[in-house]
Amino acid sequence: MFKPISRRTLWRGAGAAMALPWLETMSKAAPSTSGQTLSEPPLRMAFMFMPNGVRPDHWTPEGDGEDYEITPHLKPLESLKQDFILLENLWNKNTVGRNGHWPKVPAWLSGGYVERTSGDDLDSGGTSIDQFAAQQIGDRTALPTFELGLETLRTGIDTAGGGFARMYGSFISWRDPHTPVPKEIIPQLAFDRLFRNRRAPALSGVDPNHPALLSSLQRDDTSVLDLVMNDAKAVNRQGSVSDRVRLDEYFESVRSVEQRLEASLRPQKRWINQGKFPLDRPSPGIPETHAEHLRIMLDIFVLAFWSDTTRIGTFMLGDAQSAVDYSWLPGVRGSFHTLSHHGDIPATRDQYEKIINWNVEQMAYLLNRMKSLDEGGTSLLDNSMIMFGASIKDGNRHLEENLPLLLAGRGKGMLRPGRRLRAPVKTPLCNLYLSLLDRMGVKAESFGDSTGRLEGLA
């Protein structure tokens, strides 16, 4: 006769704390009396960033009413219309009159005023909402927050773009004004963060498909941190000022691993979903195609929420001035950023629109995936608040007002989706964040440049 075991059981090893998969004997356990499981699903919060703006008249519907006609950019989300709020008239005033891309990305989740720097004294002007929330409630899960993306860190100063450090464009998550939170771009390492507490290097110039790195990932008994530490020491000896900044960022990621290990030793109550999540551990390296890369990272992101490994996450579908070549899309020839400056030339603008629509399709995939996952009579999407959008309205003109944003999910009944919400013109985006923090149980009198709560979400 099998002895019942709990899903809370962990396999522990050097640098790893791995949750057991769902086993038959777990069904005989009694989580309701163990005191280790939540009685209802928790609330999750995520921010999905798309670079290079949109075509405004293809995003914002005409009219003023709550109901609206689906616009061309929103067409991929038409079947999900009752699952999101279309947000209008929100902005970050501290980005007005500055470079079109670099300072707007850090400000997207903080509302801060981003300083021009040489790269060794970054100042985003604020802490991002995800990290602000994690400072109060991040200890309730194994991972306080989860940051994913697709592009490697950029370096140098954009002298033609206002003198901003390009690194600003690679981070939407900031632990404090001077400390960006590295995002994971390698699928296997992102997956392993959920179970093995491993992390890829945050150093630029490290090839994700380098044979030494791939070999270490294939051997479960080899520490990726040991491999990267040697590289880090070399950079410290002979690297530039920017390299040392990235090195500091990397060491911060190591400290975050230590914090996650401590959290795994003192676990809080968590929600346990029944059944198996159909996602195997990814192969080493980065997938050959951008489409495959994005899709598997979205699956990992959903798994992080579904397994209650974290309740707060950010995802960058691209960095500022993303130069991903979308020539594999029918009728497209060129990169996202280049085509965003279409100059209202119809042939170029059509290609830009196709790229945006494709990215919105990926958002639809994420929301449908979350909607399909049952959590005791509700769905994962029902128990989440997912903001999707960009830090500029018009990719061609870099407009700051009326950012393209939507808020999906029902927030455990604290959001009323299926409509548009037209806030007063030039309402601080941070007013929305203050309202989301309320719903997450995070206490704050103000956030960023907020002037109050955003009314009308429920």
Side-chain angles (χ1 to χ4, degrees):
M1 182 177 180
F2 292 108
K3 180 181 178 181
I5 60 177
S6 169
R7 181 73 181 273
R8 296 291 304 154
T9 303
L10 297 177
W11 283 330
R12 300 193 183 278
M18 186 172 183
L20 291 176
W22 186 267
L23 302 175
E24 180 182 0
T25 50
M26 288 179 177
S27 63
K28 299 180 177 62
S32 61
T33 60
S34 66
Q36 295 300 310
T37 57
L38 295 172
S39 59
E40 61 182 43
L43 179 60
R44 291 82 157 191
M45 177 174 68
F47 302 91
M48 317 295 291
F49 174 81
M50 181 178 68
N52 300 326
V54 300
R55 177 175 167 177
D57 61 332
H58 277 206
W59 178 275
T60 304
E62 295 183 357
D64 298 323
E66 281 196 347
D67 195 15
Y68 60 93
E69 295 294 327
I70 289 291
T71 55
H73 281 331
L74 297 177
K75 189 68 176 178
L77 295 166
E78 186 169 20
S79 66
L80 290 156
K81 186 179 179 182
Q82 298 305 311
D83 294 292
F84 67 86
I85 302 172
L86 187 64
L87 301 168
E88 300 179 41
N89 294 328
L90 304 182
W91 77 328
N92 285 318
K93 68 178 182 180
N94 284 325
T95 65
V96 175
R98 315 190 76 212
N99 174 265
H101 291 274
W102 310 115
K104 292 179 171 60
V105 175
W108 195 59
L109 294 185
S110 71
Y113 183 89
V114 178
E115 297 288 351
R116 289 179 175 85
T117 73
S118 61
D120 59 349
D121 53 350
L122 297 176
D123 188 347
S124 69
T127 299
S128 56
I129 176 178
D130 60 314
Q131 297 302 311
F132 185 88
Q135 290 168 8
Q136 291 194 34
I137 62 174
D139 60 351
R140 299 177 186 177
T141 52
L143 298 183
T145 59
F146 195 46
E147 299 81 25
L148 295 185
L150 304 173
E151 299 185 53
T152 57
L153 176 67
R154 294 196 179 190
T155 61
I157 304 298
D158 186 358
T159 55
F164 287 93
R166 292 188 179 92
M167 280 192 288
Y168 280 132
S170 294
F171 305 100
I172 57 173
S173 183
W174 290 74
R175 187 169 288 111
D176 58 57
H178 310 289
T179 312
V181 181
K183 61 183 183 294
E184 186 55 74
I185 68 171
I186 301 177
Q188 188 182 93
L189 290 176
F191 183 90
D192 285 354
R193 281 193 68 196
L194 304 182
F195 305 112
R196 292 181 54 82
N197 290 300
R198 295 200 307 188
R199 178 116 201 181
L203 305 174
S204 69
V206 176
D207 181 3
N209 292 311
H210 190 284
L213 181 57
L214 299 186
S215 176
S216 75
L217 296 180
Q218 290 171 327
R219 299 192 305 270
D220 285 348
D221 59 346
T222 301
S223 170
V224 176
L225 298 181
D226 290 341
L227 170 68
V228 181
M229 193 62 70
N230 293 329
D231 292 338
K233 291 178 179 177
V235 171
N236 194 36
R237 288 193 300 268
Q238 53 189 313
S240 65
V241 172
S242 294
D243 286 335
R244 289 196 294 274
V245 172
R246 293 191 293 276
L247 185 58
D248 289 341
E249 172 193 312
Y250 167 67
F251 285 134
E252 184 62 36
S253 76
V254 174
R255 284 192 288 272
S256 73
V257 170
E258 295 172 344
Q259 293 169 354
R260 292 196 301 273
L261 283 171
E262 292 176 1
S264 71
L265 294 173
R266 300 190 308 272
Q268 298 281 344
K269 290 183 179 181
R270 62 181 289 191
W271 175 256
I272 303 297
N273 277 307
Q274 301 288 327
K276 175 176 168 41
F277 191 94
L279 180 63
D280 296 326
R281 185 174 184 241
S283 300
I286 290 179
E288 292 184 2
T289 69
H290 180 74
E292 182 184 2
H293 188 191
L294 176 53
R295 187 59 61 90
I296 194 170
M297 293 298 268
L298 289 175
D299 285 340
I300 293 170
F301 196 79
V302 173
L303 174 59
F305 277 2
W306 189 81
S307 62
D308 201 21
T309 304
T310 191
R311 298 169 193 165
I312 305 169
T314 59
F315 195 116
M316 295 187 73
L317 279 72
D319 291 5
Q321 292 192 6
S322 175
V324 172
D325 190 333
Y326 279 83
S327 296
W328 46 272
L329 280 179
V332 175
R333 293 293 179 270
S335 70
F336 196 174
H337 179 241
T338 299
L339 293 171
S340 72
H341 291 284
H342 48 75
D344 289 322
I345 300 172
T348 307
R349 188 179 59 202
D350 289 347
Q351 296 179 70
Y352 169 60
E353 293 168 9
K354 288 179 180 179
I355 295 175
I356 296 168
N357 294 343
W358 184 85
N359 279 277
V360 176
E361 286 176 11
Q362 309 318 302
M363 185 63 187
Y365 170 82
L366 173 81
L367 299 182
N368 276 313
R369 191 78 183 90
M370 296 178 69
K371 190 175 181 178
S372 72
L373 293 171
D374 178 74
E375 292 197 315
T378 58
S379 73
L380 178 59
L381 183 58
D382 289 334
N383 300 316
S384 299
M385 303 184 296
I386 313 293
M387 192 183 89
F388 169 72
S391 58
I392 54 177
K393 181 62 178 278
D394 185 338
N396 187 47
R397 298 175 177 84
H398 299 161
L399 301 178
E400 302 95 349
E401 295 184 28
N402 193 13
L403 295 178
L405 301 167
L406 62 84
L407 183 63
R410 300 182 184 278
K412 289 180 64 66
M414 291 181 282
L415 300 177
R416 182 167 61 90
R419 60 200 172 91
R420 70 197 300 184
L421 175 56
R422 294 174 58 82
V425 174
K426 296 185 179 181
T427 293
L429 178 53
C430 286
N431 285 12
L432 168 66
Y433 296 155
L434 197 56
S435 296
L436 298 184
L437 290 172
D438 287 344
R439 287 160 171 78
M440 291 295 294
V442 177
K443 297 179 180 179
E445 293 301 320
S446 63
F447 180 80
D449 64 348
S450 67
T451 57
R453 270 72 178 172
L454 181 64
E455 301 295 332
L457 289 172

